[in-house]
Each structure stands twice: as structure tokens, then as C-alpha cells.
Amino acid sequence: MAGILVAVFWAILVSFLAVVLVRLAQVLRAATRLVADVTEHAVPLLGEASETVRSAQTQLSRVDAIASDVQEVTSNASALSSTVASAFGGPLVKVAAFGYGVRRAIGRKGAPQGQRRTVIRSRAVPPARKGGRGDRRGRG
């Protein structure tokens, strides 16, 4: 009786292990298929990525050349601006100052001495100091 019991127990154990091994074999086959599919899709993607990186590097070298050209144009424009400012700036300021002086002189010449007044436009008049001049001389 004990032998039959042990034989049945071993038969159940072997059946259970056989089922587990069959399932494990199925999982390993599925994993192998999955790795093969990933490899099949990853290799072309890596090739495309490599090609994209090379294309981006080419474009960056072109952008670098354009940036250096823009920098050269900017420095040329700055030099031209300073040349124009030094050549025409001084004489134009002198002409403008002369014109302003002539206008002021004509404006003062036409107004009588007693009626001339100074008008302050768009400037705030500062407030008077406390105590005025009396504080400096010792008077309260």
C-alpha cells in the first residue's frame, strides 16, 4: 500500500513538473520571438538614427558658416556706423547748434526787454528748502 501511495505521489509530481516545463518552454519561445522582432526593428531604426545625426551635423556646419558670415557683416556695419558718425556727426551737431543759436537770437531780438520771460516746460520745479537762507546765517 505504501508503495502504491508513493508511486501515485511521484506520478502527480512528475505530471506537475511536466506541465511547468511545457509552460516554461512556451515562455522561452515567446521571449525568443520577441527578441528577434525587437532586433529586426531596432537595426533599421539605428541606421536611420545614424543617418539623421550625420544630416544634423552637416546642417550645423552650414549654420556655423552662416553665423560667422553674419558676425562679419555685423562688424562691418558697426565699423561703417562709427565711420559715418565720426565723419558727419560732429559737423551735423555744430550745424544744429548754430541753427538753435540763430533761432534763439532771433526770438530774443523780436521780444521787448521788459516782456521777456522764461517758461519752463515739462520739468518739475524743485520744492523750496526749509528755512531758506536764514538757517545758514544763524537766523531762525
Side-chain angles (χ1 to χ4, degrees):
M1 186 79 161
I4 292 176
L5 193 58
V6 170
V8 170
F9 175 72
W10 278 109
I12 292 173
L13 182 64
V14 168
S15 299
F16 179 73
L17 288 176
V19 169
V20 169
L21 288 175
V22 168
R23 298 270 174 125
L24 182 62
Q26 289 174 350
V27 168
L28 288 175
R29 270 189 239 118
T32 304
R33 260 185 273 132
L34 181 64
V35 168
D37 288 344
V38 167
T39 303
E40 182 181 322
H41 293 308
V43 170
L45 286 176
L46 288 175
E48 290 175 10
S50 176
E51 183 179 328
T52 302
V53 167
R54 277 190 226 106
S55 173
Q57 185 178 6
T58 304
Q59 295 298 326
L60 283 175
S61 65
R62 289 180 183 167
V63 168
D64 188 34
I66 291 171
S68 65
D69 290 343
V70 167
Q71 184 179 8
E72 184 179 338
V73 167
T74 302
S75 65
N76 289 343
S78 175
L80 179 64
S81 172
S82 63
T83 302
V84 168
S86 66
F88 297 114
L92 285 178
V93 169
K94 290 177 183 176
V95 168
F98 178 75
Y100 177 75
V102 168
R103 277 185 295 167
R104 290 275 303 215
I106 291 174
R108 285 189 178 173
K109 185 179 179 184
Q113 284 286 22
Q115 293 181 356
R116 202 172 3 146
R117 347 181 264 197
T118 303
V119 177
I120 300 174
R121 293 185 186 169
S122 70
R123 278 209 300 195
V125 176
R129 292 188 223 172
K130 289 186 179 179
R133 293 180 180 234
D135 285 344
R136 285 187 232 150
R137 295 185 185 151
R139 298 183 213 162

